[in-house]
């Protein structure tokens, strides 16, 4: 490990540009990531003191602190009492592959996409529903109007070329992921994308697949894998996400992960684990399915680029599942699968045989909507709304005995842990609050033996902060939930 | 067999109503079918002489002859020299189940739906493309406009309830198939519907499926089955369709059939074979997948009701695949799967796990379009156009040496047989006419050993009569094809 010393600002290629969309902390964080990836800053090395860097850049100190916090959360930096903030020493031990995606990345805009996850419900705190009350703008209507006049078009099985290229551009701007449009295959959503991938892999490997899933994790993709006859293996998760050091060798064909925002616990997989996961996949030949379901709905800090951005374009391991279906509205039923060239070679024939499921009209409308920039504007509005609701959840439930609102940096769900939880208590709370729509936290566990670290309760509630309610209805539902929790859990 | 005698007209419940949409021959045929199914007319019994029936009904004799021809083609009647026209004697030997769908059926309107089959191409005689030049009517635009304003909706996994009920109504009016909306599951088209069914059956049976396919037959569904890891068994086809007496016992899990209009040869499965097929499925536990891809685009006679209409609603064997995707336009990507209650019990959980692929906006637009009656009007227009093109094919190719245009009662393809055909000759013709888009007839065969009766050549061309060309372009393409055929095949 190199000797700790503070790097002079002049040695580091950090600039900020107030004309850019991206917030200043995100610009600083991106520049530091690049410096780390290019070895300008080495593992263990101290970064400039925040006060000094802020002065040099002419920004408030809070801006730099915010950038550092973001990088600490991602695992690029580590902070220890008395030693200051440094490049994470663990980055030293890992195979260090400099990826063009990472080094070339642009400062990320905070405008974001939500990909909500659970089926519709009309109960006010059901998780997974986005707020669609503000979707129907002029741009939306215009997109459908022109799309409907393209009735003579048949979308190619892999997707409308215009849409594929808009999605590639979206990934570049919003997810730090620079890939050609040919790597994008249009799907009817995350589940359909996974289904396609598993069909392709199943035919190729000629046997039932073994699929690792995060535990706890979202049951939806797990069920798709089971429908494909896969054996499901539960993998432990802690507060940072998948515990990559415990991955088995030579057992898994596929692993399903939510690196940007673990569902439901909310962890963001640190860089060291991302690299470990990629190395493991390369070693074992497994395919990593990255479920990027709500990564851009982050309200604090900015998200890491996708895992796919760290992957090899020609001979990679990561298949990225995205969905626009619920970005704007659950009515769209459209998403994408991003696959490197080696996986394209097996996914493309499968798609040609099975047919493309997404209407050419939908694809044309979505392409126009993306091209208009309206998706970015809409998502920015929604992110502010969800952030405000998140704060309201914390505020309303603060001080309720026997519970803890789990920290969450974004998305449209909240996890309320029952501190002295048991199956019986959870069941009682869920029964009493059923009309509000929460899901029991224990429902996200697959196995019995695995689970999170000691810091997380297995029992609690998952509630949604989306849904097309007005703010007073949302507030009323929270107040009622607090009453029920106080009566039931507070003893 | 009862003694042959001519039934008096007064004993038979036949009436015609000139106010109805349905053509007079179709009305007469429907009344006769009903009489046969209710045993008012018994197997072997002679029907009234056409001249006599025409006089009594006050219609031209040709109208009655046309109705009889239709019923002969369907296998309800048989005509033999010297014995006149009688109810087909073979109907005696088969299990006779009187089905409410068949006996209650209304005279079928000839307004119809096309479900074209092959992927897009820009060559003028490519098979499978519908003519979409007249789709964009006021009703079409209105349907999309209102659908786009329902962005807050999420379609349930089984489909928009409004659309499911419009499809049930469509099947009742157009396909003589009366089933509750709950039996209809919305799909992204025929391939996606088959994929769903095979997923459900695969999970239930817990092993690779064995799927029988018509040979020759359309490769598209066959490939979907192969993607599901199924073993494919080729089944012989003759001029009337699947040769049901050669079905193997205890081998097949699923059989894929095109009973209304065999693809590509054009046969319509006679009633006796339909009953034999259903009996076989009941005995062996096989599921019959009925691909009803263009049954309502018939220009001569009216189609038999679906095979599903003869099936048991509660404990049946037939899963009907339909598609609207190409009815109006290949841009829709929407269809349906109609399954009896026993199959619903396994298909519904599979759909819930895999997710519904069709955008709620598309479903809302299609439901409104169906409800407006525009689909019926559009299809009636298209049917006339395809019939005229069909006639032009016959006219332009008439007298071309070495070929025969296979008789075809509807649809939007034509089969040109090479009478002294060989693989080499076919390949030469296809190469020379490739820019026009024909598909070699031999490409539709799966096996080597199976095939049609001696009356059909294995070699030839399949051309499309759809496509959004103007009539002079279509004519020019035919004239060019004739030139190529004369040069190549006429020796």
């Amino acid at each position: 490990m190199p000797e700790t010393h503070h790097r002079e600002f002049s040695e580091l290629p950090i600039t900020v540009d107030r004309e850019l969309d991206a917030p200043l902390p995100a610009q600083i964080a991106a520049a530091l990531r690049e410096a780390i990836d290019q070895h300008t800053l080495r593992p263990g090395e101290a970064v400039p003191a925040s006060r000094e860097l802020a002065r040099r850049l002419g920004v408030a100190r809070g801006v730099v602190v915010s950038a550092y916090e973001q990088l600490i959360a991602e695992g690029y930096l580590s902070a220890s009492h008395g030693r200051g903030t440094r490049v994470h020493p663990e980055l030293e031990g890992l195979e260090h592959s400099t990826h063009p995606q990472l080094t070339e990345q642009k400062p990320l805009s905070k405008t974001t996409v939500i990909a909500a996850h659970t089926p519709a419900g009309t109960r006010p705190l059901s998780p997974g529903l986005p707020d669609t009350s503000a979707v129907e703008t002029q741009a939306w209507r215009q997109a459908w109007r022109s799309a409907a006049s393209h009735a003579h078009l048949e979308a190619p099985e892999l997707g409308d070329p215009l849409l594929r290229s808009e999605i590639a551009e979206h990934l570049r701007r919003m997810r730090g992921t620079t890939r050609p449009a040919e790597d994008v295959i249009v799907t009817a959503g995350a589940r359909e994308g996974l289904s396609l991938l598993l069909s392709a892999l199943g035919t190729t490997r000629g046997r039932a697949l073994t699929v690792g899933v995060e535990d706890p994790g979202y049951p939806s993709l797990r069920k798709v894998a089971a429908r494909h006859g896969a054996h499901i293996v539960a993998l432990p998760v802690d507060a940072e996400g998948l515990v990559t050091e415990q991955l088995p060798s030579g057992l898994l064909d596929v692993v399903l992960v939510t690196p940007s925002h673990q569902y439901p616990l909310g962890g963001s997989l640190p860089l060291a684990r991302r690299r470990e996961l990629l190395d493991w996949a390369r070693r074992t030949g497994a395919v990593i399915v990255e479920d990027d379901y709500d990564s851009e709905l982050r309200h604090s800090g900015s998200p890491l680029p996708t895992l796919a951005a760290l992957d090899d374009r020609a001979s990679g391991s990561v298949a990225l599942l995205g969905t626009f279906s619920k970005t704007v509205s659950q009515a769209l039923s459209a998403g994408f699968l991003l696959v490197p060239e080696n996986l394209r070679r097996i996914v493309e024939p499968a798609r040609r045989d099975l047919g493309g499921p997404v209407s050419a009209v939908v694809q044309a409308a979505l392409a126009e909507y993306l091209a208009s920039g309206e998706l970015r504007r809409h998502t920015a509005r929604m992110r502010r709304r969800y952030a405000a609701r998140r704060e309201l959840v914390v505020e309303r439930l603060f001080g309720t005995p026997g519970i803890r609102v789990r920290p969450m940096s974004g998305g449209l769900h909240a996890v309320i842990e029952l501190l002295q939880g048991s199956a019986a208590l959870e069941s009682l709370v869920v029964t009493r609050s059923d009309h509000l729509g929460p899901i029991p936290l224990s429902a996200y566990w697959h196995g019995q033996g695995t689970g999170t670290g000691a810091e997380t309760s297995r029992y609690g509630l998952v509630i949604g902060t989306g849904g097309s309610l007005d703010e007073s209805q949302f507030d009323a539902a929270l107040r009622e939930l607090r009453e029920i929790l106080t009566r039931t859990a507070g003893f």
Side-chain angles (χ1 to χ4, degrees), chain A residues 351-369:
Chain A
R351 180 54 109 201
R352 292 205 174 90
D353 283 355
L354 294 168
V358 184
S359 160
V361 177
V362 172
Q363 295 194 51
L366 183 54
E368 178 161 340
Y369 190 76

Side-chain angles (χ1 to χ4, degrees), chain A residues 119-381:
Chain A
T122 51
R123 294 172 298 173
L125 300 177
S126 282
L129 287 180
D131 186 341
T132 56
S133 60
V135 164
E136 289 167 26
T137 55
Q138 179 58 27
W140 169 265
R141 283 186 294 269
Q142 177 55 42
W144 285 101
R145 197 156 44 236
S146 22
S149 73
H150 289 72
H152 55 285
L153 295 175
E154 176 169 38
E157 272 112 350
L158 304 179
D160 177 344
L162 211 63
L163 177 58
R164 294 169 79 188
S165 113
E166 285 294 338
I167 292 172
E169 173 62 12
H170 168 86
L171 283 167
R172 193 186 65 73
R173 292 184 62 153
M174 303 295 153
R175 302 293 296 117
T177 309
T178 306
R179 294 275 281 270
E182 293 72 45
D183 286 3
V184 175
I185 294 169
V186 175
T187 69
R191 285 190 283 182
E192 199 273 320
L194 177 61
S195 209
L196 170 63
L197 179 73
L198 294 178
S199 290
L201 286 173
T203 317
T204 312
R205 304 204 170 178
R207 54 171 170 76
L209 301 171
T210 301
V211 176
V213 299
E214 293 175 339
D215 195 25
Y218 197 73
S220 168
L221 293 182
R222 200 191 291 162
K223 284 181 187 167
V224 170
R227 278 281 159 198
H228 280 261
H231 307 295
I232 307 293
V233 175
L235 303 172
V237 159
D238 66 17
E240 293 187 316
L242 184 68
V243 182
T244 46
E245 66 193 12
Q246 296 182 27
L247 284 168
S249 273
L251 170 66
L252 302 179
D253 295 294
V254 174
V255 60
L256 306 181
V257 284
T258 51
S260 294
H261 195 211
Q262 206 277 329
Y263 198 93
L265 299 182
S268 172
L269 205 64
L271 187 66
R273 289 200 190 176
R274 289 175 183 238
R275 292 204 169 126
E276 191 164 37
L277 179 59
L278 287 167
D279 286 346
W280 167 85
R282 257 175 237 129
R283 265 195 331 269
T284 65
V287 174
I288 302 167
V289 176
E290 177 177 19
D291 181 14
D292 202 38
Y293 70 106
D294 75 350
S295 56
E296 300 190 6
L297 258 198
R298 194 175 169 119
H299 11 91
S300 57
S302 59
L304 265 183
T306 62
L307 198 59
L310 292 169
D311 194 31
D312 191 283
R313 293 180 200 188
S315 175
S317 308
V318 181
L320 178 74
L321 292 178
T323 170
F324 291 101
S325 179
K326 298 176 185 180
T327 301
V328 189
S329 155
Q330 60 274 49
L332 267 181
S333 295
F336 60 89
L337 177 65
L338 181 81
V339 272
E341 207 178 312
N342 53 319
L343 289 176
R344 264 168 55 192
R345 279 197 290 272
I346 64 165
V347 171
E348 288 179 359
R351 180 54 109 201
R352 292 205 174 90
D353 283 355
L354 294 168
V358 184
S359 160
V361 177
V362 172
Q363 295 194 51
L366 183 54
E368 178 161 340
Y369 190 76
L370 285 170
S372 74
E374 182 68 11
L375 178 66
R376 291 198 301 282
R377 290 188 290 275
H378 178 72
T379 315
R381 286 193 295 274

